[in-house]
Amino acid sequence: GCGAFVCSALKPRLRNRINRKLANWPRNRGVPASPTVRSIAHAKEWQGAVKLSILVWIVILAVGQPRSAAATDISVDLELVLAVDVSASVDPVEARLQRQGYVDALLDRKVLSAIQGGTLGRIAVTYMEWAGTGNRRVLVPWAIIEDRASAFAFSTFVEAAPIGFGHWTGIGGAIEFAAALFEGSGFQGTRRVIDISADGPNNEGISPDRARDRAIANGLTINGLPIINDRRQASGEKQI
């Protein structure tokens, strides 16, 4: 089964989907992409970028020095915020591409093996979407990933959540929102990392440079995952 610590909070429909996936292991190596996503030449590259980002930071943990943890916090090898762009320039195809890339990466054998090979063998992850001011939300709250059951549970929540939409591209604001999620998360990781995707430049709110500098000063690391392709935005303008 998917484990009492996550299944008790799942709706029956989601719980059944997780258990069906577990029953197919190891034949099912990931959630199949939709035909639309498969038609994009960059789908594999996006999934690879997500996997590489996660793998790199898990490897770095092996040589990092752990920070002191609060007595009530759960120690993990990595605290990771997945911050996904859903601004107006991200059309439904690109939105699904991003979502599927994260789902597939979280279910990848190499990623799970790397997680379990860490000092503690577990990481904490949360998934958020962002656009401009007032359009930032957490879709999947903080959860531990330490085995195939917890990876399936988290990825199922990500897959099932409605994809949001918002105006403007507030990269700096998204970084600040993501950085605030670490406080009171209930976890204490050797590293704290924000993976943020975007398909265009900042055009609203605080500058990304200022937000980045604040995050780094607080001990965070930021990975940028750009969406680059030759498709045009809904406005007809080229992707930047």
Side-chain angles (χ1 to χ4, degrees):
C2 61
F5 73 100
V6 285
C7 273
S8 60
L10 292 174
K11 293 181 180 179
R13 186 175 180 181
L14 290 179
R15 191 162 61 235
N16 291 338
R17 291 175 71 179
I18 292 172
N19 285 321
R20 283 199 301 270
K21 291 179 185 178
L22 289 173
N24 290 332
W25 186 278
R27 295 190 306 276
N28 184 1
R29 303 182 65 180
V31 179
S34 68
T36 303
V37 172
R38 285 198 297 266
S39 69
I40 301 176
H42 296 278
K44 291 294 184 181
E45 285 82 352
W46 177 260
Q47 179 184 347
V50 174
K51 287 195 292 186
L52 179 61
S53 176
I54 296 173
L55 286 168
V56 164
W57 281 106
I58 292 172
V59 170
I60 289 176
L61 296 176
V63 297
Q65 295 297 320
R67 299 176 292 124
S68 58
T72 57
D73 288 344
I74 299 174
S75 295
V76 293
D77 290 315
L78 171 69
E79 289 176 79
L80 177 63
V81 176
L82 303 176
V84 181
D85 183 1
V86 292
S87 58
S89 59
V90 177
D91 63 27
V93 174
E94 288 180 342
R96 187 60 191 170
L97 166 65
Q98 292 184 92
R99 180 73 64 88
Q100 194 65 46
Y102 283 115
V103 168
D104 290 345
L106 290 167
L107 295 175
D108 188 85
R109 289 175 176 275
K110 292 181 180 179
V111 170
L112 182 56
S113 178
I115 291 172
Q116 294 177 326
T119 302
L120 298 172
R122 59 179 180 263
I123 68 174
V125 187
T126 184
Y127 186 98
M128 61 165 281
E129 290 182 339
W130 62 272
T133 300
N135 284 298
R136 304 174 190 122
R137 61 174 184 149
V138 173
L139 269 72
V140 186
W142 287 104
I144 286 180
I145 294 182
E146 59 186 348
D147 53 24
R148 66 178 186 177
S150 53
F152 273 131
F154 190 90
S155 65
T156 299
F157 270 121
V158 171
E159 183 186 27
I163 297 176
F165 169 82
H167 295 288
W168 306 106
T169 304
I171 299 175
I175 291 174
E176 290 203 323
F177 184 90
L181 296 178
F182 292 105
E183 301 306 319
S185 69
F187 298 99
Q188 188 71 28
T190 304
R191 292 286 186 272
R192 287 178 163 179
V193 177
I194 299 170
D195 277 5
I196 183 167
S197 67
D199 78 335
N202 187 79
N203 57 25
E204 186 260 0
I206 184 175
S207 74
D209 290 349
R210 185 178 177 187
R212 176 204 60 203
D213 291 344
R214 287 180 180 176
I216 292 174
N218 288 322
L220 307 182
T221 298
I222 302 172
N223 296 325
L225 301 175
I227 304 172
I228 302 174
N229 56 54
D230 57 2
R231 303 176 69 253
R232 292 184 178 271
Q233 301 180 23
S235 63
E237 297 180 0
K238 291 183 178 180
Q239 299 285 1
I240 300 176

